[in-house]
Amino acid sequence: MPHRPVSTIPRRLLARVRDVMAGAGSAAERLERIAAVIAADLVAEVCSVYVRRAGDVMELFATQGLNPDAVHNTRLRMDEGLVGDIAANARPLALADARQHPNFAYRPETGEEIYQSLMGVPILRGGRVIGVLAVQNKTRRSYAEEEVETLETVAMVLAELVAGGELIETDEFFPADGTALLPLRLEGVILNGGLGAGVAVLHQPQFRVGNLVAEDPALELERLRRAVTEMRGALDTMLGSTELAGRGEHRAVLETYRMIAEDAGWLARIEEAVGTGLTAETSVQMVHSDIRARLGKAPDQYLRERLYDFEDLANRLLRHLTKGEPPRPEVGTGADVIVVARSMGPAQLLDYHGPSLRGLVLEEGSPTMHVAIVARALDIPVVGQAKEAFTRIEQGDPILVDGDNAVVLIRPGEDAQNNFAEAMRAIAQRRAGFATLRDLPAETRDGERISLNINAGLLTDVRFLEDTGADGIGLFRTEIPFMVRAAFPSVEAQRVLYAEILDQAQGKPVLFRTLDVGGDKALPYWKHAQSENPAMGWRAIRVSLDRPAMMRQQIRALIGAASGRALRVMFPMIAEVSEFDAAHEILKRELERARARGAEMPNAVEVGAMLEVPSLVYQLDALLSRVDFVSVGTNDLFQFLFASDRGDPRLAERYDFLSPIVFALLRTVLEGCRAADVPVSVCGEAASRPLDAMAIIGLGFRNFSVPPPAVGPTKSMIRSLTLGPLTSYLETLATLTHHSVREQLREFALDHGVMI
Ligand code: PEP
Ligand code: MG
């Protein structure tokens, strides 16, 4: 029988299912009718709905095509038959020949032996399986992926009817003892690393408002003003807490928030609404709805994210009006807590902050999001973009947050819990092991000293210099402080920040990279068209040279900050020497300007280029005659070398950094730098993987900059490495045309006792 094009099915089918659901008849009758609609639409002879009953039994509740007498008589255990398989694993099955499946169970009362093919999907509610929806065909039929998706979509709609309480008591699905909960794993993006375990606290800031109309508007205005004053006082106390009192971008973030709290326009609008006779609570909500409607549509991400600030403030104000309690964990005191939210303003996290806060899971979020910056300052693991986290996690669910791998485990089984606890112990142990290396030099067994530095992007990151014992900051990405602010920071604000970074580094060298904005690192206050291909677009030095005022200001601030000490600067994304020259010219002019003004000058100035665009290799000699140092940015260099987007997971394993091609390029760079006697370092993620770092050292590089957590593992690798055999081994690999030599190098490391 010819099947209809699947792409036309879902909408029409969904509309019909919805019609039946909303129509007349008992829930059981409607379920029967829906089964008939689905069978007809999917051109299947059978459509059946199984509902999960207490005791983990799947009971047939409705069927089109199977023997009607089987309804309420056919019952399968969770591990019995194909329906049990779908329920137990919470995943669909699509089988052209169902009888071949090892879990096929024949039920004579249904008459189903005549059906050859089966496609079934779980009916899910809040992450739990509450039923199974299945269709069957007599003839052999290979169900298309789109058809499975269609059935899953219908199952989502059906879940409402099944869980509605008419078919069976909802208690059966959601027993108070939580026995029906299934483990769930969500993946997201890393917003802050680290591991955390605790019970879920759902961040639900919504307040319900009772009275809409005020009896006495004047009194209402009085109430509102009192609440505002109280709120501001409470905010002052919270934001001034000693732990967060230090300087840093999180301060800027919280101050932006504080400014919004002071925003006269916002309050004036609420007062205006009160003036029309509404209660203060209703007025707050009304103004907030309006803000949400406007900001939600804003094309600019920064503005959209301010919505969280307003949301937070509106809820805070409502809390003061209703004398409500802050959203403290509703779990037993002392329990460790993982906060789960759709998204959150920065100050809201502080409501939860305390020794029991162990992690944060967000459905939305980007690394420069304000709450992520605050979480970084508080050292709390955060996983963002965890799809459906808020709907699928229940209050009190046990949760494991793996911020290093961007994974959230919900209601984990005993094994997963044990593994996680084991991983946390192992990490703590490894950390303790690395801590013992902190004051030892990064030196190979044959006495070669490697300079080991950290990458940083926030003032709070500078503390890792002390924690890790790194030699210095080999890459300070200056863009984040620009991205989290509401407006371009003034020269003075920048100078203060850079000076603070140098102060806190206590004499260890800091290498500042000038702004690498543009592309996907948009500045909120700066409009420019989105590029189709942001990594290769108008970013970094290209933006700086086209908008030299911005660069001049940054360099002016850097010179001011470094007065009396060394200034080390490099320019990102240099593709040709003339770009370096132009940027260098700006630096020279700013130095002259400072001198002419009689300012105290840096006692040394070193200027370099990042080598992260392959074209620059063809002007290497010319570059080397101009720079004091070169820093190889492996992230961009690798993606441009192979024309392979660094953020595309489908390409993650397509090309390997440990390949003869990369080695050839790095060798050229190294030999050039050696001949010209120009120091060269490597920053970027490749250097943070001990095996990759081993290869880079084997090629001859002696200076690294890695993310702080990689310092310990890299140092441990270096201290277990003997250079001689590695250097000669790498030479034998050079002539290979392999896609990757990772395996060979891994074996080398294992054979030679290198800690990778
Ligand atoms: C790089 O490209 O390797 C690098 C260090 O710069 P970023 O990751 O900031 O682009
Ligand atoms: Mg780069």
Side-chain angles (χ1 to χ4, degrees):
M1 200 184 300
H3 296 141
R4 260 169 294 196
V6 280
S7 58
T8 64
I9 293 176
R11 195 181 299 176
R12 193 193 49 221
L13 177 55
L14 285 179
R16 287 191 186 156
V17 170
R18 283 223 176 85
D19 282 350
V20 178
M21 274 177 59
S26 69
E29 285 162 359
R30 281 178 282 151
L31 202 60
E32 282 292 343
R33 249 179 281 145
I34 288 170
V37 165
I38 297 170
D41 233 291
L42 291 179
V43 199
E45 282 88 14
V46 172
C47 175
S48 311
V49 184
Y50 293 82
V51 175
R52 182 181 189 157
R53 305 298 312 255
D56 279 352
V57 168
M58 306 303 297
E59 180 175 311
L60 183 65
F61 259 65
T63 183
Q64 164 76 28
L66 294 184
N67 183 353
D69 292 341
V71 170
H72 298 306
N73 287 322
T74 294
R75 306 179 103 221
L76 296 151
R77 286 195 319 275
M78 285 284 276
D79 56 351
E80 192 184 5
L82 298 175
V83 167
D85 186 297
I86 293 162
N89 297 305
R91 57 146 201 242
L93 278 182
L95 305 167
D97 192 348
R99 286 170 301 185
Q100 293 300 314
H101 194 280
N103 284 356
F104 180 78
Y106 171 53
R107 282 315 186 75
E109 75 275 11
T110 61
E112 70 181 347
E113 80 277 23
I114 53 169
Y115 299 103
Q116 194 168 359
S117 308
L118 175 140
M119 162 170 70
V121 299
I123 302 173
L124 296 160
R125 183 85 170 180
R128 301 169 176 83
V129 175
I130 57 168
V132 167
L133 172 63
V135 296
Q136 290 171 275
N137 280 74
K138 271 186 195 154
T139 50
R140 190 185 165 87
R141 170 170 172 190
S142 298
Y143 301 98
E145 213 171 292
E146 292 87 343
E147 292 175 299
V148 177
E149 281 169 15
T150 298
L151 203 62
E152 281 181 315
T153 314
V154 176
M156 263 159 50
V157 178
L158 211 54
E160 273 177 52
L161 183 63
V162 175
E166 275 190 75
L167 289 171
I168 60 170
E169 297 280 330
T170 19
D171 287 5
E172 277 200 41
F173 302 124
F174 305 106
D177 64 359
T179 46
L181 307 183
L182 285 176
L184 183 72
R185 176 192 158 93
L186 294 180
E187 287 181 21
V189 299
I190 302 173
L191 296 190
N192 197 33
L195 299 179
V199 292
V201 170
L202 297 187
H203 173 66
Q204 268 163 325
Q206 280 84 4
F207 275 80
R208 297 212 186 283
V209 171
N211 281 349
L212 296 182
V213 183
E215 281 167 17
D216 179 350
L219 204 70
E220 206 58 18
L221 197 60
E222 181 64 37
R223 270 185 74 222
L224 174 71
R225 290 187 175 155
R226 206 174 324 119
V228 168
T229 310
E230 274 173 29
M231 176 184 82
R232 286 181 176 160
L235 275 176
D236 282 342
T237 311
M238 182 171 76
L239 301 184
S241 85
T242 47
E243 196 172 349
L244 286 161
R247 292 222 192 96
E249 296 71 14
H250 61 281
R251 269 302 347 145
V253 158
L254 294 171
E255 267 148 29
T256 306
Y257 172 82
R258 185 74 171 80
M259 264 161 51
I260 295 177
E262 298 287 347
D263 184 62
W266 179 60
L267 289 167
R269 284 170 60 201
I270 299 174
E271 290 191 359
E272 218 173 279
V274 170
T276 66
L278 296 174
T279 57
E281 288 89 337
T282 312
S283 304
V284 171
Q285 288 217 322
M286 209 181 73
V287 170
H288 183 60
S289 306
D290 187 39
I291 290 176
R292 185 186 303 140
R294 281 186 303 114
L295 285 187
K297 283 201 275 291
D300 180 317
Q301 182 180 343
Y302 183 84
L303 280 181
R304 280 198 308 275
E305 287 190 0
R306 295 296 56 73
L307 186 56
Y308 310 139
D309 292 344
F310 276 111
E311 200 136 278
D312 176 352
L313 283 169
N315 282 300
R316 233 171 256 283
L317 190 49
L318 285 174
R319 212 159 63 210
H320 284 283
L321 280 168
T322 55
K323 306 273 175 240
E325 287 293 307
R328 276 277 152 200
E330 287 171 27
V331 287
T333 43
D336 286 339
V337 161
I338 306 285
V339 174
V340 180
R342 291 223 159 80
S343 77
M344 207 182 225
Q348 283 170 313
L349 186 62
L350 301 182
D351 284 336
Y352 296 99
H353 183 53
S356 61
L357 178 63
R358 291 304 154 111
L360 176 64
V361 179
L362 299 170
E363 280 193 2
E364 297 173 12
S366 66
T368 52
M369 183 185 202
H370 285 181
V371 70
I373 304 277
V374 174
R376 236 162 111 172
L378 298 174
D379 201 14
I380 294 160
V382 188
V383 173
Q385 293 176 29
K387 297 266 174 312
E388 296 181 16
F390 200 74
T391 29
R392 303 189 75 175
I393 298 175
E394 298 282 322
Q395 185 87 2
D397 274 348
I399 309 257
L400 308 174
V401 177
D402 179 350
D404 297 332
N405 296 298
V407 171
V408 184
L409 299 175
I410 300 139
R411 307 181 284 272
E414 210 175 314
D415 282 355
Q417 289 206 34
N418 292 341
N419 290 344
F420 198 84
E422 187 51 42
M424 281 178 82
R425 260 194 304 276
I427 286 173
Q429 222 166 40
R430 271 164 59 93
R431 283 219 180 113
F434 295 142
T436 63
L437 299 180
R438 186 183 161 282
D439 298 319
L440 299 174
E443 195 173 284
T444 64
R445 296 177 87 112
D446 35 4
E448 190 71 29
R449 178 74 164 83
I450 312 288
S451 172
L452 198 48
N453 304 277
I454 55 168
N455 297 342
L458 292 174
L459 180 56
T460 52
D461 294 342
V462 182
R463 67 175 189 257
F464 294 118
L465 267 182
E466 182 65 18
D467 295 356
T468 60
D471 294 316
I473 296 179
L475 165 64
F476 196 100
R477 294 180 167 103
T478 54
E479 50 274 3
I480 301 178
F482 283 76
M483 292 165 76
V484 299
R485 280 179 167 76
F488 200 90
S490 65
V491 174
E492 180 56 12
Q494 291 186 58
R495 189 197 62 76
V496 168
L497 173 67
Y498 303 142
E500 185 78 28
I501 292 165
L502 290 169
D503 290 349
Q504 289 192 13
Q506 296 183 0
K508 286 189 176 179
V510 179
L511 175 47
F512 290 100
R513 177 178 76 182
T514 60
L515 274 183
D516 183 355
V517 291
D520 56 348
K521 296 184 198 166
L523 292 184
Y525 35 86
W526 213 38
K527 302 280 167 277
H528 72 268
Q530 274 298 325
S531 167
E532 283 269 312
N533 204 337
M536 296 206 277
W538 193 56
R539 63 174 270 212
I541 198 69
R542 302 162 184 186
V543 173
S544 299
L545 293 179
D546 289 354
R547 297 281 184 274
M550 189 179 79
M551 187 173 198
R552 271 203 303 274
Q553 290 185 10
Q554 186 178 33
I555 288 179
R556 201 169 290 172
L558 284 166
I559 294 171
S563 62
R565 40 196 173 180
L567 172 62
R568 309 189 77 225
V569 191
M570 64 177 172
F571 306 117
M573 286 280 289
I574 299 289
E576 52 180 33
V577 163
S578 66
E579 287 173 340
F580 175 80
D581 286 343
H584 196 186
E585 200 46 48
I586 294 178
L587 173 67
K588 284 194 269 194
R589 248 188 274 143
E590 282 306 317
L591 284 167
E592 268 161 35
R593 178 183 176 276
R595 208 170 286 123
R597 294 181 151 225
E600 190 186 357
M601 300 299 289
N603 62 15
V605 178
E606 287 178 35
V607 55
M610 283 194 78
L611 198 154
E612 45 184 354
V613 184
S615 58
L616 192 57
V617 176
Y618 296 95
Q619 286 187 332
L620 192 59
D621 291 341
L623 178 78
L624 293 171
S625 67
R626 293 158 157 87
V627 294
D628 296 309
F629 62 87
V630 168
S631 182
V632 180
T634 56
N635 300 340
D636 278 314
L637 184 63
F638 181 79
Q639 77 166 345
F640 297 136
L641 182 62
F642 287 101
S644 169
D645 186 343
R646 75 196 229 189
D648 190 333
R650 291 165 300 186
L651 295 177
E653 306 209 335
R654 180 89 213 178
Y655 305 100
D656 197 345
F657 185 82
L658 294 183
S659 74
I661 289 178
V662 175
F663 294 173
L665 178 82
L666 291 181
R667 267 211 178 90
T668 306
V669 173
L670 187 77
E671 281 162 13
C673 290
R674 270 196 189 143
D677 201 17
V678 170
V680 58
S681 60
V682 178
C683 58
E685 307 310 305
S688 68
R689 299 185 291 263
L691 185 66
D692 301 46
M694 178 190 88
I696 300 171
I697 291 175
L699 291 168
F701 289 87
R702 298 291 178 263
N703 188 318
F704 287 85
S705 193
V706 299
V711 171
T714 310
K715 195 187 271 189
S716 150
M717 180 277 293
I718 292 169
R719 293 182 58 83
S720 61
L721 174 70
T722 310
L723 273 175
L726 175 64
T727 313
S728 39
Y729 184 59
L730 276 167
E731 268 156 29
T732 67
L733 298 179
T735 53
L736 299 178
T737 53
H738 289 41
H739 154 73
S740 161
V741 292
R742 185 168 294 278
E743 266 323 297
Q744 288 89 327
L745 282 165
R746 193 191 311 280
E747 271 167 34
F748 174 92
L750 294 177
D751 286 351
H752 291 77
V754 186
M755 310 281 288
I756 45 164

mmCIF file of all heavy atoms in Angstrom, residues 475 477 479 513 516 521 539 610 612 633-637 646 683-684, ligand 1:
data_model
loop_
_atom_site.group_PDB
_atom_site.id
_atom_site.type_symbol
_atom_site.label_atom_id
_atom_site.label_comp_id
_atom_site.label_asym_id
_atom_site.label_seq_id
_atom_site.Cartn_x
_atom_site.Cartn_y
_atom_site.Cartn_z
ATOM 1 N N LEU A 475 47.686 33.971 28.309
ATOM 2 C CA LEU A 475 46.644 34.519 27.423
ATOM 3 C C LEU A 475 45.568 35.095 28.317
ATOM 4 O O LEU A 475 44.885 34.365 29.040
ATOM 5 C CB LEU A 475 46.049 33.406 26.542
ATOM 6 C CG LEU A 475 44.728 33.735 25.828
ATOM 7 C CD1 LEU A 475 44.908 34.870 24.830
ATOM 8 C CD2 LEU A 475 44.169 32.511 25.112
ATOM 9 N N ARG A 477 42.235 36.827 27.799
ATOM 10 C CA ARG A 477 41.243 37.208 26.780
ATOM 11 C C ARG A 477 40.485 38.413 27.327
ATOM 12 O O ARG A 477 39.715 38.270 28.282
ATOM 13 C CB ARG A 477 40.266 36.066 26.527
ATOM 14 C CG ARG A 477 40.885 34.824 25.904
ATOM 15 C CD ARG A 477 39.816 33.767 25.710
ATOM 16 N NE ARG A 477 40.234 32.668 24.859
ATOM 17 C CZ ARG A 477 40.594 31.457 25.308
ATOM 18 N NH1 ARG A 477 40.596 31.196 26.595
ATOM 19 N NH2 ARG A 477 40.934 30.509 24.456
ATOM 20 N N GLU A 479 38.067 40.149 26.122
ATOM 21 C CA GLU A 479 36.716 40.489 25.638
ATOM 22 C C GLU A 479 35.588 40.268 26.640
ATOM 23 O O GLU A 479 34.582 40.954 26.602
ATOM 24 C CB GLU A 479 36.385 39.770 24.321
ATOM 25 C CG GLU A 479 36.624 38.282 24.273
ATOM 26 C CD GLU A 479 38.066 37.940 23.904
ATOM 27 O OE1 GLU A 479 38.871 38.875 23.743
ATOM 28 O OE2 GLU A 479 38.381 36.747 23.814
ATOM 29 N N ARG A 513 45.728 39.936 25.524
ATOM 30 C CA ARG A 513 45.381 39.916 24.102
ATOM 31 C C ARG A 513 44.348 41.011 23.877
ATOM 32 O O ARG A 513 43.375 41.113 24.632
ATOM 33 C CB ARG A 513 44.772 38.562 23.740
ATOM 34 C CG ARG A 513 44.329 38.528 22.299
ATOM 35 C CD ARG A 513 43.776 37.198 21.916
ATOM 36 N NE ARG A 513 42.430 37.006 22.441
ATOM 37 C CZ ARG A 513 41.740 35.888 22.263
ATOM 38 N NH1 ARG A 513 42.289 34.868 21.624
ATOM 39 N NH2 ARG A 513 40.527 35.780 22.720
ATOM 40 N N ASP A 516 39.089 40.446 21.047
ATOM 41 C CA ASP A 516 38.722 39.507 19.985
ATOM 42 C C ASP A 516 37.196 39.432 19.970
ATOM 43 O O ASP A 516 36.605 38.422 20.321
ATOM 44 C CB ASP A 516 39.338 38.132 20.277
ATOM 45 C CG ASP A 516 39.066 37.114 19.163
ATOM 46 O OD1 ASP A 516 38.326 37.439 18.222
ATOM 47 O OD2 ASP A 516 39.592 35.994 19.246
ATOM 48 N N LYS A 521 31.110 36.663 19.121
ATOM 49 C CA LYS A 521 31.269 37.344 20.414
ATOM 50 C C LYS A 521 30.773 38.781 20.252
ATOM 51 O O LYS A 521 31.565 39.705 20.070
ATOM 52 C CB LYS A 521 32.740 37.344 20.831
ATOM 53 C CG LYS A 521 33.303 35.951 21.083
ATOM 54 C CD LYS A 521 34.722 36.075 21.585
ATOM 55 C CE LYS A 521 35.486 34.774 21.444
ATOM 56 N NZ LYS A 521 36.922 34.962 21.616
ATOM 57 N N ARG A 539 35.902 40.014 12.820
ATOM 58 C CA ARG A 539 36.184 39.838 14.239
ATOM 59 C C ARG A 539 37.639 40.199 14.541
ATOM 60 O O ARG A 539 38.434 40.429 13.633
ATOM 61 C CB ARG A 539 35.905 38.383 14.679
ATOM 62 C CG ARG A 539 36.781 37.350 14.001
ATOM 63 C CD ARG A 539 36.566 35.941 14.590
ATOM 64 N NE ARG A 539 37.475 35.694 15.702
ATOM 65 C CZ ARG A 539 37.960 34.481 16.002
ATOM 66 N NH1 ARG A 539 37.599 33.414 15.295
ATOM 67 N NH2 ARG A 539 38.789 34.320 17.013
ATOM 68 N N MET A 610 49.334 36.734 17.608
ATOM 69 C CA MET A 610 48.847 35.361 17.690
ATOM 70 C C MET A 610 48.946 34.775 16.299
ATOM 71 O O MET A 610 48.573 35.415 15.321
ATOM 72 C CB MET A 610 47.396 35.324 18.157
ATOM 73 C CG MET A 610 47.271 35.545 19.635
ATOM 74 S SD MET A 610 45.633 35.094 20.209
ATOM 75 C CE MET A 610 45.735 33.313 20.274
ATOM 76 N N GLU A 612 47.246 32.277 14.361
ATOM 77 C CA GLU A 612 46.070 31.407 14.360
ATOM 78 C C GLU A 612 45.380 31.397 13.002
ATOM 79 O O GLU A 612 44.339 30.786 12.835
ATOM 80 C CB GLU A 612 45.098 31.762 15.493
ATOM 81 C CG GLU A 612 44.825 33.230 15.675
ATOM 82 C CD GLU A 612 43.917 33.529 16.877
ATOM 83 O OE1 GLU A 612 43.399 32.611 17.514
ATOM 84 O OE2 GLU A 612 43.722 34.726 17.152
ATOM 85 N N GLY A 633 47.784 30.067 18.482
ATOM 86 C CA GLY A 633 46.422 29.796 18.979
ATOM 87 C C GLY A 633 45.893 28.565 18.266
ATOM 88 O O GLY A 633 45.414 28.637 17.141
ATOM 89 N N THR A 634 45.992 27.446 18.948
ATOM 90 C CA THR A 634 45.676 26.192 18.249
ATOM 91 C C THR A 634 44.192 26.060 17.912
ATOM 92 O O THR A 634 43.845 25.368 16.968
ATOM 93 C CB THR A 634 46.096 24.980 19.105
ATOM 94 O OG1 THR A 634 45.457 25.078 20.371
ATOM 95 C CG2 THR A 634 47.588 24.923 19.264
ATOM 96 N N ASN A 635 43.326 26.709 18.668
ATOM 97 C CA ASN A 635 41.888 26.536 18.391
ATOM 98 C C ASN A 635 41.545 27.032 16.995
ATOM 99 O O ASN A 635 40.959 26.315 16.183
ATOM 100 C CB ASN A 635 41.032 27.322 19.396
ATOM 101 C CG ASN A 635 41.269 26.887 20.814
ATOM 102 O OD1 ASN A 635 41.757 25.796 21.051
ATOM 103 N ND2 ASN A 635 40.932 27.741 21.767
ATOM 104 N N ASP A 636 41.902 28.291 16.746
ATOM 105 C CA ASP A 636 41.576 28.842 15.437
ATOM 106 C C ASP A 636 42.491 28.279 14.356
ATOM 107 O O ASP A 636 42.040 27.982 13.255
ATOM 108 C CB ASP A 636 41.652 30.374 15.477
ATOM 109 C CG ASP A 636 40.373 30.971 16.054
ATOM 110 O OD1 ASP A 636 39.290 30.516 15.634
ATOM 111 O OD2 ASP A 636 40.452 31.845 16.931
ATOM 112 N N LEU A 637 43.763 28.130 14.683
ATOM 113 C CA LEU A 637 44.702 27.623 13.672
ATOM 114 C C LEU A 637 44.218 26.273 13.126
ATOM 115 O O LEU A 637 44.198 26.043 11.918
ATOM 116 C CB LEU A 637 46.095 27.466 14.286
ATOM 117 C CG LEU A 637 47.182 27.044 13.290
ATOM 118 C CD1 LEU A 637 47.375 28.119 12.222
ATOM 119 C CD2 LEU A 637 48.517 26.781 14.003
ATOM 120 N N ARG A 646 35.245 24.768 14.558
ATOM 121 C CA ARG A 646 35.626 24.213 15.857
ATOM 122 C C ARG A 646 34.432 23.950 16.760
ATOM 123 O O ARG A 646 34.528 23.223 17.741
ATOM 124 C CB ARG A 646 36.645 25.129 16.544
ATOM 125 C CG ARG A 646 36.095 26.409 17.143
ATOM 126 C CD ARG A 646 37.220 27.398 17.425
ATOM 127 N NE ARG A 646 37.161 27.949 18.766
ATOM 128 C CZ ARG A 646 37.924 28.954 19.177
ATOM 129 N NH1 ARG A 646 38.823 29.499 18.365
ATOM 130 N NH2 ARG A 646 37.836 29.410 20.391
ATOM 131 N N CYS A 683 49.033 28.516 22.964
ATOM 132 C CA CYS A 683 47.841 28.581 23.808
ATOM 133 C C CYS A 683 46.712 27.903 23.033
ATOM 134 O O CYS A 683 46.901 27.452 21.930
ATOM 135 C CB CYS A 683 47.487 30.021 24.186
ATOM 136 S SG CYS A 683 47.218 31.092 22.787
ATOM 137 N N GLY A 684 45.554 27.802 23.607
ATOM 138 C CA GLY A 684 44.481 27.063 22.926
ATOM 139 C C GLY A 684 44.322 25.713 23.582
ATOM 140 O O GLY A 684 45.193 25.243 24.306
HETATM 141 C C1 PEP B 1 42.902 30.108 19.843
HETATM 142 O O1 PEP B 1 42.283 30.393 18.824
HETATM 143 O O2 PEP B 1 43.603 29.076 19.966
HETATM 144 C C2 PEP B 1 42.833 30.992 21.006
HETATM 145 C C3 PEP B 1 43.576 30.771 22.076
HETATM 146 O O3 PEP B 1 41.957 32.013 20.948
HETATM 147 P P1 PEP B 1 40.395 31.850 21.228
HETATM 148 O O4 PEP B 1 40.159 30.455 21.704
HETATM 149 O O5 PEP B 1 40.066 32.896 22.228
HETATM 150 O O6 PEP B 1 39.833 32.128 19.876
#
